[in-house]
Amino acid sequence: KTANNNKDFAKKKVKVGRKLEKANETVTTFKAKRLSIAKQSVASDRGGQEVNSRGLTLRELLVQTTHYAPAMRREALAGLKDFFGLHPHQLPVHAGALFEKVSHFVTEQDPQARKEFRSLMTMVLGCDEPACLTPFLPLYLVHVSGGLSHIHESIRLAAMSLLDDLIPTHPSTAAAA
């Protein structure tokens, strides 16, 4: 009677070449099957927003301009140039956000980022509707003025070239500053 009632405590026979499982060991192995759901990619679900050629929205590109890595900031500037090249009608709408986020690049330490910034600003300042930029140019000119008095000569020269790009397109704003 006692042998049948105590199956939990019965000694298991060990076979040659086999490992004996411990009685109190928890089995942690499991099997999983792959589940694929179509159209769940974050990159493809943009909700009808306009994107650049790399699939990034304007908001994502503006966030990347404050990234800690210089290479990422350069890519963000190139992405902004690409975005406004593909969607020029968006520039008057988002000019304020653009100038607020990228004007600090006048004094950027990375020379390649400053070069990319100048390329972006040349495109922005040459837009079809220059009147839409007028309210935001004083902020831009403050950063350019700060760049003109910077301690590094390369930044001073870059600020001078940005001022040279501004004068032909917005002479009255440049003269007022």
Side-chain angles (χ1 to χ4, degrees):
K1 269 186 173 180
T2 58
N4 289 338
N5 292 338
N6 295 327
K7 288 185 179 181
D8 292 334
F9 300 106
K11 186 175 181 183
K12 295 184 179 181
K13 292 182 181 180
V14 180
K15 295 184 179 179
V16 178
R18 303 255 175 139
K19 188 176 179 182
L20 182 63
E21 292 181 10
K22 294 182 181 178
N24 62 352
E25 184 176 359
T26 303
V27 179
T28 59
T29 59
F30 60 91
K31 293 182 181 177
K33 293 186 178 182
R34 183 175 288 180
L35 179 65
S36 63
I37 301 172
K39 298 278 184 173
Q40 194 171 351
S41 175
V42 175
S44 66
D45 185 24
R46 298 295 182 186
Q49 294 178 339
E50 294 175 331
V51 295
N52 70 349
S53 60
R54 291 183 54 219
L56 298 171
T57 63
L58 179 62
R59 172 180 251 167
E60 292 168 337
L61 292 167
L62 290 175
V63 167
Q64 287 179 0
T65 60
T66 57
H67 198 271
Y68 67 90
M72 191 66 143
R73 293 192 301 264
R74 274 195 310 267
E75 288 179 20
L77 291 170
L80 285 168
K81 184 179 175 187
D82 180 38
F83 180 85
F84 288 118
L86 292 172
H87 312 289
H89 61 280
Q90 290 290 328
L91 183 58
V93 177
H94 299 288
L98 177 70
F99 276 100
E100 183 181 331
K101 283 289 195 176
V102 300
S103 290
H104 71 276
F105 278 97
V106 173
T107 56
E108 171 70 32
Q109 295 294 324
D110 183 28
Q112 294 298 326
R114 282 195 312 267
K115 183 178 178 184
E116 195 67 47
F117 173 67
R118 182 178 183 199
S119 175
L120 171 67
M121 291 313 293
T122 302
M123 185 191 79
V124 168
L125 292 173
C127 77
D128 296 336
E129 300 176 38
C132 71
L133 304 178
T134 305
F136 311 108
L137 289 177
L139 171 68
Y140 177 65
L141 281 169
V142 167
H143 285 280
V144 171
S145 298
L148 290 172
S149 63
H150 200 273
I151 192 168
H152 295 293
E153 183 180 1
S154 61
I155 293 176
R156 286 194 306 263
L157 292 173
M160 183 63 78
S161 63
L162 289 168
L163 189 60
D164 286 342
D165 293 342
L166 177 69
I167 291 173
T169 56
H170 297 82
S172 61
T173 306

